[in-house]
C-alpha cells in the first residue's frame, strides 16, 4: 500500500466504520448479545459491512437482531487542530 493511499481513500469515501451487532444466543433466543466490529469501509454502500454480515449469516449460529453503525465521514475540520500557544525549549 502506498504512503498516500490512506489519504486518497478518505477522499473516495472510505472511513472508519464501527458496527455494533446485536444477535440472539442460539441456546437462549430470548437473550441478546452484542459484538463490536471495526473496519475501513466506503459510504454509503458499505461493501465490507455487507460482506461481513453475509459471512455472519452463513457461518455463525446466532441470528442477527439488529446492527447499529457509525461511520467517520470524509475529512472534516476536526481533523486539523492548531496550537494556541508556544513551547520554548533550550
Amino acid at each position: 500500500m502506498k504512503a498516500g493511499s490512506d489519504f486518497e481513500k478518505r477522499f473516495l469515501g472510505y472511513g472508519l466504520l464501527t458496527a455494533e451487532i446485536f444477535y440472539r444466543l442460539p441456546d437462549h433466543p430470548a437473550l441478546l448479545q452484542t459484538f463490536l466490529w471495526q473496519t475501513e469501509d466506503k459510504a454509503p454502500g458499505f461493501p465490507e459491512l455487507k460482506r461481513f454480515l453475509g459471512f455472519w449469516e452463513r457461518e455463525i449460529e446466532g441470528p442477527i437482531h439488529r446492527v447499529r453503525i457509525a461511520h467517520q465521514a470524509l475529512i472534516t475540520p476536526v481533523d486539523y487542530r492548531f496550537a494556541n500557544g508556544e513551547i520554548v525549549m533550550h
Side-chain angles (χ1 to χ4, degrees):
M1 191 177 283
K2 299 184 305 183
S5 65
D6 288 339
F7 188 72
E8 292 168 5
K9 285 174 69 174
R10 298 284 306 272
F11 279 112
L12 294 174
Y14 283 86
L16 180 64
L17 169 81
T18 303
E20 184 178 20
I21 301 167
F22 294 81
Y23 64 97
R24 297 198 182 276
L25 296 175
D27 297 339
H28 303 282
L31 298 178
L32 289 175
Q33 183 75 7
T34 61
F35 178 80
L36 284 176
W37 183 71
Q38 287 187 322
T39 190
E40 283 188 333
D41 210 349
K42 185 175 180 180
F46 302 114
E48 294 298 322
L49 176 62
K50 288 178 181 176
R51 194 174 1 263
F52 181 74
L53 293 177
F55 166 80
W56 186 294
E57 293 286 332
R58 287 187 315 276
E59 305 293 332
I60 308 294
E61 290 186 31
I64 295 174
H65 177 263
R66 86 172 172 245
V67 178
R68 184 168 53 177
I69 64 170
H71 184 261
Q72 180 183 7
L74 292 172
I75 296 173
T76 62
V78 177
D79 292 334
Y80 301 100
R81 292 186 291 173
F82 296 96
N84 189 14
E86 181 179 349
I87 299 173
V88 180
M89 302 200 53
H90 295 282

Coordinates of all heavy atoms in Angstrom, one line a residue:
M1 N 0.8 -1.2 0.0 CA 0.0 0.0 0.0 C 0.9 1.2 0.0 O 1.8 1.3 0.8 CB -0.9 0.0 1.2 CG -2.0 1.0 1.2 SD -3.1 1.0 2.6 CE -4.1 -0.4 2.1
K2 N 0.6 2.2 -0.9 CA 1.4 3.4 -1.0 C 1.2 4.3 0.3 O 0.2 4.2 1.0 CB 1.0 4.2 -2.2 CG 1.2 3.5 -3.5 CD 0.9 4.4 -4.7 CE -0.5 4.9 -4.6 NZ -1.0 5.7 -5.7
A3 N 2.1 5.2 0.5 CA 2.0 6.0 1.7 C 0.8 7.0 1.6 O 0.2 7.2 2.6 CB 3.3 6.9 1.8
G4 N 0.5 7.5 0.4 CA -0.6 8.4 0.3 C -2.0 7.7 0.1 O -3.0 8.4 0.0
S5 N -2.0 6.4 0.0 CA -3.2 5.7 -0.3 C -4.3 5.9 0.8 O -5.5 5.9 0.4 CB -3.0 4.2 -0.6 OG -2.5 3.6 0.5
D6 N -3.9 5.9 2.0 CA -4.9 6.1 3.1 C -5.6 7.5 2.9 O -6.8 7.6 3.1 CB -4.3 6.0 4.5 CG -3.9 4.6 4.8 OD1 -4.4 3.7 4.3 OD2 -3.0 4.5 5.7
F7 N -4.8 8.5 2.6 CA -5.4 9.8 2.4 C -6.3 9.8 1.2 O -7.4 10.4 1.2 CB -4.2 10.8 2.3 CG -4.7 12.3 2.2 CD1 -5.2 12.9 3.4 CD2 -4.6 13.0 1.1 CE1 -5.6 14.2 3.4 CE2 -5.1 14.3 1.0 CZ -5.5 14.9 2.2
E8 N -5.8 9.1 0.1 CA -6.7 9.1 -1.1 C -8.0 8.3 -0.8 O -9.0 8.7 -1.4 CB -5.9 8.4 -2.2 CG -4.7 9.2 -2.7 CD -3.7 8.4 -3.6 OE1 -4.0 7.2 -3.9 OE2 -2.7 9.0 -3.9
K9 N -7.9 7.3 0.0 CA -9.1 6.5 0.3 C -10.1 7.4 1.0 O -11.3 7.2 0.8 CB -8.8 5.3 1.1 CG -8.1 4.2 0.3 CD -7.7 3.0 1.2 CE -8.9 2.3 1.8 NZ -8.4 1.1 2.5
R10 N -9.7 8.3 1.9 CA -10.6 9.2 2.6 C -11.4 10.0 1.6 O -12.6 10.2 1.8 CB -9.8 10.1 3.5 CG -9.1 9.4 4.6 CD -9.9 8.9 5.8 NE -10.8 9.9 6.3 CZ -10.5 10.7 7.3 NH1 -9.3 10.7 7.9 NH2 -11.3 11.6 7.8
F11 N -10.7 10.5 0.5 CA -11.4 11.3 -0.5 C -12.4 10.5 -1.3 O -13.4 11.0 -1.9 CB -10.5 12.0 -1.4 CG -9.9 13.3 -0.8 CD1 -8.6 13.3 -0.5 CD2 -10.7 14.4 -0.5 CE1 -8.0 14.5 0.1 CE2 -10.2 15.5 0.0 CZ -8.9 15.6 0.4
L12 N -12.2 9.2 -1.4 CA -13.1 8.3 -2.1 C -14.3 7.9 -1.3 O -15.2 7.1 -1.8 CB -12.3 7.1 -2.6 CG -11.3 7.3 -3.6 CD1 -10.5 6.1 -3.9 CD2 -11.9 7.9 -4.9
G13 N -14.4 8.3 0.0 CA -15.5 8.0 0.8 C -15.2 6.9 1.9 O -16.1 6.6 2.7
Y14 N -14.0 6.4 2.0 CA -13.6 5.4 3.0 C -13.4 6.1 4.3 O -12.9 7.3 4.4 CB -12.4 4.7 2.6 CG -12.6 3.6 1.6 CD1 -12.5 3.9 0.2 CD2 -12.9 2.3 1.9 CE1 -12.8 3.0 -0.8 CE2 -13.1 1.3 1.0 CZ -13.0 1.7 -0.4 OH -13.2 0.7 -1.3
G15 N -13.8 5.5 5.4 CA -13.6 6.0 6.7 C -13.7 4.8 7.7 O -14.1 3.7 7.3
L16 N -13.5 5.1 9.0 CA -13.6 4.1 10.0 C -15.1 3.8 10.2 O -15.9 4.7 10.5 CB -13.0 4.6 11.3 CG -13.1 3.6 12.5 CD1 -12.3 2.3 12.1 CD2 -12.5 4.2 13.7
L17 N -15.4 2.5 10.1 CA -16.8 2.0 10.4 C -16.8 1.2 11.6 O -16.0 0.3 11.8 CB -17.3 1.2 9.2 CG -18.6 0.4 9.5 CD1 -19.8 1.3 9.3 CD2 -18.7 -0.8 8.6
T18 N -17.7 1.5 12.5 CA -17.9 0.7 13.7 C -19.3 0.2 13.7 O -20.3 0.9 13.5 CB -17.7 1.6 15.0 OG1 -16.4 2.2 15.0 CG2 -17.9 0.7 16.3
A19 N -19.4 -1.1 13.8 CA -20.7 -1.8 13.7 C -21.0 -2.5 15.1 O -20.1 -3.3 15.5 CB -20.8 -2.8 12.6
E20 N -22.1 -2.2 15.7 CA -22.5 -2.9 16.9 C -23.6 -3.9 16.5 O -24.7 -3.5 16.1 CB -23.0 -1.9 17.9 CG -23.4 -2.6 19.3 CD -23.8 -1.6 20.3 OE1 -24.2 -0.5 20.0 OE2 -23.8 -1.9 21.5
I21 N -23.3 -5.2 16.6 CA -24.2 -6.2 16.1 C -24.9 -6.8 17.3 O -24.2 -7.3 18.2 CB -23.4 -7.3 15.3 CG1 -22.7 -6.6 14.1 CG2 -24.3 -8.4 14.8 CD1 -21.7 -7.5 13.4
F22 N -26.2 -6.8 17.3 CA -27.0 -7.4 18.4 C -27.5 -8.7 17.8 O -28.1 -8.7 16.7 CB -28.2 -6.5 18.7 CG -27.8 -5.2 19.4 CD1 -27.4 -4.1 18.6 CD2 -27.9 -5.1 20.8 CE1 -27.1 -2.9 19.2 CE2 -27.5 -3.9 21.3 CZ -27.1 -2.8 20.6
Y23 N -27.2 -9.8 18.5 CA -27.6 -11.1 18.0 C -28.2 -11.9 19.1 O -27.9 -11.7 20.3 CB -26.5 -11.8 17.3 CG -25.3 -12.2 18.2 CD1 -25.2 -13.4 18.8 CD2 -24.3 -11.2 18.5 CE1 -24.2 -13.8 19.6 CE2 -23.3 -11.5 19.3 CZ -23.2 -12.8 19.9 OH -22.2 -13.1 20.7
R24 N -29.0 -12.9 18.7 CA -29.6 -13.8 19.7 C -28.7 -15.0 20.0 O -28.1 -15.5 19.1 CB -31.0 -14.3 19.2 CG -31.9 -13.1 19.0 CD -33.4 -13.6 19.0 NE -34.3 -12.5 18.8 CZ -34.7 -11.7 19.7 NH1 -34.4 -11.9 21.0 NH2 -35.6 -10.7 19.4
L25 N -28.7 -15.4 21.2 CA -27.9 -16.6 21.6 C -28.6 -17.8 21.1 O -29.8 -17.9 21.3 CB -27.7 -16.6 23.1 CG -26.9 -15.5 23.7 CD1 -26.9 -15.6 25.2 CD2 -25.5 -15.5 23.2
P26 N -27.9 -18.7 20.5 CA -28.6 -19.9 19.9 C -29.3 -20.8 21.0 O -30.4 -21.3 20.8 CB -27.4 -20.7 19.3 CG -26.4 -19.8 19.1 CD -26.5 -18.7 20.1
D27 N -28.7 -20.9 22.2 CA -29.2 -21.7 23.3 C -30.3 -21.0 24.1 O -31.1 -21.6 24.8 CB -28.2 -22.2 24.2 CG -27.2 -23.1 23.6 OD1 -27.5 -23.7 22.5 OD2 -26.0 -23.3 24.1
H28 N -30.3 -19.6 24.0 CA -31.2 -18.8 24.8 C -31.7 -17.7 23.9 O -31.3 -16.5 24.0 CB -30.6 -18.2 26.0 CG -30.0 -19.3 26.9 ND1 -30.8 -20.0 27.8 CD2 -28.7 -19.7 27.1 CE1 -30.0 -20.9 28.4 NE2 -28.8 -20.7 28.1
P29 N -32.6 -17.9 22.9 CA -33.0 -16.9 22.0 C -33.7 -15.7 22.5 O -33.8 -14.7 21.8 CB -34.0 -17.7 21.0 CG -34.3 -19.0 21.7 CD -33.3 -19.2 22.7
A30 N -34.1 -15.7 23.8 CA -34.7 -14.6 24.4 C -33.7 -13.5 24.8 O -34.0 -12.4 25.1 CB -35.6 -15.0 25.6
L31 N -32.4 -13.9 24.9 CA -31.3 -13.1 25.3 C -30.6 -12.5 24.1 O -30.4 -13.2 23.1 CB -30.3 -13.8 26.2 CG -30.8 -14.4 27.5 CD1 -29.8 -15.1 28.2 CD2 -31.4 -13.3 28.3
L32 N -30.2 -11.2 24.2 CA -29.4 -10.6 23.1 C -27.9 -10.4 23.6 O -27.7 -10.1 24.8 CB -29.9 -9.2 22.8 CG -31.2 -9.2 22.0 CD1 -31.7 -7.7 21.8 CD2 -31.1 -9.8 20.7
Q33 N -27.0 -10.6 22.7 CA -25.6 -10.4 23.0 C -25.1 -9.3 22.0 O -25.7 -9.2 20.9 CB -24.8 -11.7 22.7 CG -23.4 -11.6 23.0 CD -23.1 -11.6 24.5 OE1 -23.9 -11.8 25.4 NE2 -21.8 -11.4 24.9
T34 N -24.0 -8.6 22.3 CA -23.5 -7.6 21.3 C -22.1 -8.0 20.9 O -21.4 -8.7 21.6 CB -23.5 -6.2 21.9 OG1 -22.7 -6.2 23.0 CG2 -24.9 -5.7 22.3
F35 N -21.8 -7.6 19.7 CA -20.4 -7.8 19.1 C -20.0 -6.5 18.4 O -20.8 -6.0 17.6 CB -20.5 -9.0 18.1 CG -19.2 -9.2 17.5 CD1 -18.2 -9.9 18.1 CD2 -18.9 -8.8 16.2 CE1 -17.0 -10.2 17.5 CE2 -17.7 -9.1 15.5 CZ -16.8 -9.8 16.2
L36 N -18.9 -6.0 18.7 CA -18.4 -4.7 18.1 C -17.4 -5.1 17.0 O -16.5 -6.0 17.2 CB -17.7 -3.8 19.1 CG -18.6 -3.0 19.9 CD1 -17.9 -2.2 20.9 CD2 -19.6 -2.1 19.1
W37 N -17.5 -4.5 15.8 CA -16.6 -4.8 14.7 C -16.2 -3.5 14.0 O -17.1 -2.6 13.8 CB -17.3 -5.7 13.7 CG -16.5 -6.2 12.6 CD1 -15.5 -7.1 12.6 CD2 -16.7 -5.8 11.2 NE1 -15.0 -7.3 11.3 CE2 -15.8 -6.5 10.5 CE3 -17.6 -4.9 10.6 CZ2 -15.7 -6.4 9.1 CZ3 -17.5 -4.8 9.2 CH2 -16.5 -5.5 8.5
Q38 N -14.9 -3.3 13.7 CA -14.4 -2.1 13.1 C -13.6 -2.5 11.9 O -12.9 -3.5 11.8 CB -13.5 -1.3 14.0 CG -14.3 -0.6 15.1 CD -13.4 0.3 15.9 OE1 -12.2 0.0 16.1 NE2 -13.9 1.5 16.3
T39 N -13.8 -1.6 10.8 CA -13.0 -1.8 9.6 C -13.1 -0.4 8.9 O -13.8 0.4 9.2 CB -13.6 -2.9 8.7 OG1 -12.6 -3.2 7.7 CG2 -14.9 -2.6 8.2
E40 N -12.3 -0.3 7.8 CA -12.4 0.8 6.9 C -13.5 0.4 5.9 O -13.4 -0.7 5.3 CB -11.1 1.1 6.2 CG -10.2 1.9 7.1 CD -9.0 2.4 6.3 OE1 -8.6 1.8 5.3 OE2 -8.4 3.4 6.7
D41 N -14.4 1.3 5.6 CA -15.5 0.9 4.6 C -15.9 2.2 3.9 O -15.6 3.3 4.3 CB -16.7 0.3 5.4 CG -17.4 -0.6 4.5 OD1 -17.2 -0.7 3.3 OD2 -18.3 -1.3 5.0
K42 N -16.5 2.0 2.8 CA -16.9 3.1 1.9 C -18.4 3.4 2.0 O -19.2 2.6 1.8 CB -16.6 2.8 0.5 CG -16.8 3.9 -0.5 CD -16.3 3.6 -1.9 CE -16.6 4.8 -2.8 NZ -16.2 4.5 -4.2
A43 N -18.7 4.7 2.4 CA -20.0 5.1 2.5 C -20.5 5.5 1.1 O -19.7 5.9 0.3 CB -20.1 6.3 3.4
P44 N -21.8 5.4 0.8 CA -22.9 5.0 1.6 C -23.2 3.5 1.5 O -24.1 3.0 2.1 CB -24.1 5.8 1.2 CG -23.8 6.0 -0.3 CD -22.3 6.1 -0.4
G45 N -22.5 2.8 0.5 CA -22.9 1.4 0.3 C -22.4 0.4 1.3 O -23.0 -0.7 1.4
F46 N -21.3 0.7 2.0 CA -20.7 -0.2 3.0 C -20.5 -1.6 2.5 O -21.0 -2.6 3.1 CB -21.5 -0.2 4.3 CG -21.7 1.2 4.8 CD1 -22.9 1.8 4.9 CD2 -20.6 1.9 5.3 CE1 -23.1 3.1 5.4 CE2 -20.7 3.2 5.8 CZ -22.0 3.8 5.9
P47 N -19.7 -1.8 1.4 CA -19.4 -3.2 0.9 C -18.8 -4.1 1.9 O -19.1 -5.3 1.9 CB -18.6 -3.0 -0.3 CG -17.9 -1.6 -0.1 CD -18.9 -0.8 0.7
E48 N -17.8 -3.6 2.7 CA -17.2 -4.5 3.7 C -18.2 -5.0 4.8 O -18.1 -6.1 5.2 CB -16.0 -3.8 4.4 CG -14.9 -3.5 3.4 CD -14.2 -4.7 2.8 OE1 -14.1 -5.7 3.5 OE2 -13.9 -4.7 1.6
L49 N -19.0 -4.1 5.2 CA -20.0 -4.5 6.2 C -21.0 -5.5 5.6 O -21.3 -6.5 6.3 CB -20.8 -3.3 6.7 CG -22.0 -3.5 7.7 CD1 -21.4 -4.2 9.0 CD2 -22.7 -2.3 8.0
K50 N -21.4 -5.3 4.4 CA -22.3 -6.3 3.8 C -21.6 -7.6 3.6 O -22.3 -8.7 3.9 CB -22.8 -5.8 2.4 CG -23.8 -4.6 2.5 CD -24.1 -4.1 1.1 CE -25.1 -2.9 1.2 NZ -25.4 -2.4 -0.1
R51 N -20.4 -7.6 3.3 CA -19.6 -8.9 3.1 C -19.5 -9.6 4.5 O -19.7 -10.8 4.6 CB -18.2 -8.6 2.6 CG -17.5 -9.8 2.1 CD -16.2 -9.5 1.4 NE -15.7 -8.1 1.2 CZ -15.9 -7.4 0.1 NH1 -16.6 -7.8 -0.9 NH2 -15.5 -6.1 0.1
F52 N -19.2 -8.8 5.6 CA -19.1 -9.4 6.9 C -20.5 -10.0 7.4 O -20.5 -11.1 7.9 CB -18.6 -8.4 7.9 CG -18.4 -8.9 9.3 CD1 -17.4 -9.8 9.6 CD2 -19.3 -8.6 10.3 CE1 -17.3 -10.3 10.9 CE2 -19.2 -9.1 11.6 CZ -18.1 -10.0 11.8
L53 N -21.5 -9.2 7.2 CA -22.9 -9.7 7.6 C -23.3 -10.9 6.8 O -24.0 -11.8 7.4 CB -23.9 -8.6 7.5 CG -23.7 -7.4 8.4 CD1 -24.7 -6.3 8.2 CD2 -23.7 -7.8 9.9
G54 N -22.9 -11.0 5.6 CA -23.2 -12.2 4.8 C -22.5 -13.4 5.3 O -23.0 -14.5 5.4
F55 N -21.2 -13.2 5.7 CA -20.4 -14.2 6.4 C -21.1 -14.7 7.7 O -21.2 -15.9 8.0 CB -19.0 -13.8 6.7 CG -18.2 -14.6 7.6 CD1 -17.6 -15.8 7.2 CD2 -18.1 -14.3 8.9 CE1 -17.0 -16.6 8.0 CE2 -17.4 -15.1 9.8 CZ -16.9 -16.3 9.4
W56 N -21.5 -13.7 8.5 CA -22.2 -14.0 9.7 C -23.4 -14.9 9.5 O -23.6 -15.9 10.2 CB -22.6 -12.7 10.4 CG -23.1 -12.9 11.8 CD1 -24.3 -13.5 12.1 CD2 -22.6 -12.5 13.1 NE1 -24.5 -13.5 13.5 CE2 -23.4 -12.9 14.1 CE3 -21.4 -11.8 13.4 CZ2 -23.2 -12.6 15.4 CZ3 -21.1 -11.6 14.7 CH2 -22.0 -11.9 15.7
E57 N -24.3 -14.5 8.6 CA -25.5 -15.2 8.3 C -25.2 -16.6 7.9 O -25.9 -17.6 8.2 CB -26.3 -14.5 7.2 CG -26.9 -13.1 7.6 CD -28.0 -13.2 8.5 OE1 -28.8 -14.3 8.5 OE2 -28.2 -12.3 9.3
R58 N -24.1 -16.8 7.1 CA -23.8 -18.2 6.6 C -23.1 -19.1 7.7 O -23.3 -20.2 7.8 CB -22.8 -18.1 5.4 CG -23.5 -17.7 4.1 CD -22.5 -17.8 3.0 NE -21.2 -17.3 3.2 CZ -20.8 -16.1 3.1 NH1 -21.7 -15.1 2.7 NH2 -19.5 -15.7 3.4
E59 N -22.2 -18.5 8.5 CA -21.3 -19.2 9.3 C -21.6 -19.2 10.8 O -21.1 -20.1 11.6 CB -19.9 -18.8 9.1 CG -19.4 -18.8 7.6 CD -19.3 -20.2 7.1 OE1 -19.1 -21.2 7.9 OE2 -19.5 -20.4 5.9
I60 N -22.3 -18.2 11.3 CA -22.5 -18.0 12.8 C -23.9 -18.4 13.1 O -24.8 -18.1 12.4 CB -22.2 -16.6 13.2 CG1 -20.9 -16.1 12.7 CG2 -22.4 -16.4 14.7 CD1 -19.7 -16.7 13.3
E61 N -24.0 -19.2 14.2 CA -25.4 -19.7 14.6 C -26.3 -18.6 15.2 O -27.5 -18.8 15.2 CB -25.2 -20.9 15.5 CG -24.7 -22.1 14.9 CD -24.6 -23.3 15.8 OE1 -25.5 -23.4 16.7 OE2 -23.8 -24.1 15.7
G62 N -25.7 -17.6 15.8 CA -26.5 -16.6 16.4 C -27.2 -15.6 15.4 O -26.5 -14.8 14.8
P63 N -28.5 -15.7 15.3 CA -29.2 -14.9 14.3 C -29.1 -13.4 14.7 O -29.3 -13.0 15.9 CB -30.6 -15.3 14.3 CG -30.8 -16.2 15.5 CD -29.4 -16.6 15.9
I64 N -28.9 -12.5 13.7 CA -28.8 -11.1 14.0 C -30.1 -10.5 14.2 O -31.1 -10.7 13.5 CB -28.1 -10.4 12.7 CG1 -26.7 -10.9 12.6 CG2 -28.1 -8.9 12.9 CD1 -26.0 -10.4 11.3
H65 N -30.2 -9.7 15.3 CA -31.4 -9.0 15.7 C -31.4 -7.6 15.0 O -32.4 -7.2 14.4 CB -31.5 -8.9 17.2 CG -32.7 -8.1 17.7 ND1 -32.6 -6.8 18.0 CD2 -33.9 -8.4 17.9 CE1 -33.8 -6.3 18.4 NE2 -34.6 -7.3 18.3
R66 N -30.3 -6.9 15.2 CA -30.1 -5.5 14.6 C -28.7 -5.2 14.5 O -27.8 -5.7 15.2 CB -31.0 -4.5 15.3 CG -30.4 -3.8 16.4 CD -31.2 -2.7 16.9 NE -30.6 -2.2 18.2 CZ -31.1 -2.3 19.4 NH1 -32.4 -2.8 19.5 NH2 -30.5 -2.0 20.4
V67 N -28.4 -4.2 13.7 CA -27.0 -3.7 13.5 C -27.1 -2.2 13.6 O -27.9 -1.5 12.9 CB -26.4 -4.1 12.2 CG1 -25.0 -3.5 12.0 CG2 -26.4 -5.6 12.0
R68 N -26.2 -1.6 14.5 CA -26.1 -0.1 14.6 C -24.7 0.3 14.1 O -23.7 -0.3 14.5 CB -26.4 0.3 16.0 CG -26.4 1.8 16.2 CD -26.9 2.2 17.6 NE -26.2 1.5 18.7 CZ -26.4 1.7 20.0 NH1 -27.3 2.5 20.3 NH2 -25.7 1.1 20.9
I69 N -24.7 1.2 13.2 CA -23.3 1.6 12.7 C -23.0 3.1 12.9 O -23.9 3.9 13.1 CB -23.3 1.3 11.2 CG1 -24.2 2.1 10.4 CG2 -23.4 -0.2 10.9 CD1 -24.0 2.1 8.9
A70 N -21.7 3.4 13.0 CA -21.2 4.7 13.0 C -20.1 4.7 12.0 O -19.3 3.8 11.9 CB -20.7 5.1 14.4
H71 N -20.0 5.8 11.2 CA -19.0 5.9 10.1 C -18.4 7.3 10.2 O -19.1 8.3 10.2 CB -19.7 5.7 8.8 CG -18.7 5.7 7.7 ND1 -18.5 6.8 6.9 CD2 -17.9 4.7 7.2 CE1 -17.5 6.5 6.0 NE2 -17.2 5.2 6.2
Q72 N -17.1 7.3 10.2 CA -16.4 8.6 10.2 C -16.4 9.1 8.7 O -16.1 8.5 7.8 CB -14.9 8.3 10.5 CG -14.1 9.6 10.6 CD -12.6 9.3 10.9 OE1 -12.2 8.2 11.0 NE2 -11.9 10.3 11.0
A73 N -17.0 10.3 8.6 CA -17.2 11.0 7.3 C -15.8 11.4 6.7 O -14.8 11.1 7.2 CB -18.1 12.2 7.5
L74 N -15.9 12.0 5.6 CA -14.7 12.5 4.9 C -14.0 13.5 5.7 O -14.5 13.9 6.8 CB -15.1 13.1 3.6 CG -15.7 12.2 2.5 CD1 -16.2 13.0 1.3 CD2 -14.6 11.3 2.0
I75 N -12.9 13.9 5.3 CA -12.0 14.8 6.0 C -12.9 16.1 6.5 O -13.5 16.7 5.7 CB -10.8 15.3 5.2 CG1 -9.9 14.1 4.9 CG2 -10.0 16.4 5.9 CD1 -8.8 14.3 4.0
T76 N -12.8 16.3 7.7 CA -13.6 17.5 8.3 C -12.6 18.4 9.1 O -11.5 18.0 9.3 CB -14.6 16.9 9.3 OG1 -14.0 16.3 10.3 CG2 -15.6 16.0 8.6
P77 N -13.1 19.6 9.4 CA -12.2 20.5 10.2 C -11.7 19.9 11.5 O -10.7 20.3 12.0 CB -13.1 21.7 10.4 CG -14.1 21.7 9.4 CD -14.3 20.2 9.1
V78 N -12.4 18.9 12.0 CA -12.0 18.3 13.3 C -10.6 17.6 13.1 O -9.8 17.5 14.1 CB -13.0 17.3 13.8 CG1 -12.6 16.5 15.0 CG2 -14.3 18.0 14.0
D79 N -10.3 17.2 11.9 CA -9.0 16.5 11.6 C -7.8 17.4 11.8 O -6.7 17.0 11.9 CB -9.0 15.9 10.2 CG -10.0 14.8 10.1 OD1 -10.3 14.1 11.1 OD2 -10.4 14.5 9.0
Y80 N -8.0 18.7 11.8 CA -6.9 19.7 11.9 C -7.1 20.5 13.1 O -8.1 21.1 13.3 CB -6.9 20.6 10.6 CG -6.7 19.8 9.4 CD1 -7.8 19.5 8.6 CD2 -5.5 19.3 9.0 CE1 -7.7 18.8 7.4 CE2 -5.3 18.6 7.8 CZ -6.4 18.3 7.0 OH -6.3 17.6 5.9
R81 N -6.1 20.6 13.9 CA -6.1 21.4 15.1 C -4.8 22.3 15.1 O -3.7 21.8 14.8 CB -6.2 20.6 16.4 CG -7.5 19.9 16.5 CD -7.6 19.2 17.9 NE -6.7 18.1 17.9 CZ -6.4 17.4 18.9 NH1 -7.0 17.6 20.1 NH2 -5.5 16.4 18.9
F82 N -5.0 23.5 15.5 CA -3.8 24.4 15.6 C -3.5 24.7 17.1 O -4.4 24.9 17.9 CB -4.1 25.7 14.8 CG -4.3 25.5 13.4 CD1 -5.6 25.4 12.8 CD2 -3.2 25.4 12.5 CE1 -5.8 25.2 11.5 CE2 -3.4 25.2 11.2 CZ -4.7 25.1 10.6
A83 N -2.3 24.7 17.4 CA -1.9 25.0 18.8 C -2.1 26.5 19.1 O -2.0 27.4 18.3 CB -0.4 24.7 19.0
N84 N -2.6 26.7 20.3 CA -2.9 28.0 20.8 C -1.9 28.3 21.8 O -2.2 28.5 23.0 CB -4.3 28.1 21.3 CG -4.7 29.5 21.6 OD1 -4.0 30.5 21.2 ND2 -5.8 29.7 22.4
G85 N -0.6 28.4 21.4 CA 0.5 28.7 22.4 C 1.8 28.3 21.8 O 1.9 27.9 20.6
E86 N 2.8 28.5 22.6 CA 4.2 28.2 22.1 C 5.0 27.6 23.3 O 4.9 28.0 24.4 CB 4.8 29.6 21.7 CG 6.2 29.4 21.2 CD 6.8 30.7 20.8 OE1 6.1 31.7 20.7 OE2 8.1 30.8 20.6
I87 N 5.7 26.6 22.9 CA 6.6 25.9 23.9 C 8.0 26.2 23.5 O 8.4 25.9 22.4 CB 6.3 24.4 23.9 CG1 4.9 24.1 24.3 CG2 7.3 23.7 24.9 CD1 4.5 22.6 24.2
V88 N 8.8 26.8 24.4 CA 10.2 27.1 24.1 C 11.1 26.1 24.8 O 10.9 25.8 26.0 CB 10.5 28.5 24.7 CG1 12.0 28.9 24.4 CG2 9.6 29.6 24.1
M89 N 12.0 25.5 24.0 CA 12.9 24.5 24.5 C 14.3 25.1 24.4 O 14.6 25.7 23.4 CB 12.7 23.2 23.8 CG 11.3 22.7 23.9 SD 11.1 21.0 23.5 CE 12.2 20.1 24.6
H90 N 15.2 24.8 25.4 CA 16.5 25.2 25.3 C 17.4 24.5 24.3 O 17.3 23.4 24.1 CB 17.2 25.1 26.7 CG 16.5 25.9 27.8 ND1 16.8 27.3 27.8 CD2 15.6 25.7 28.7 CE1 16.1 27.8 28.8 NE2 15.3 26.8 29.4

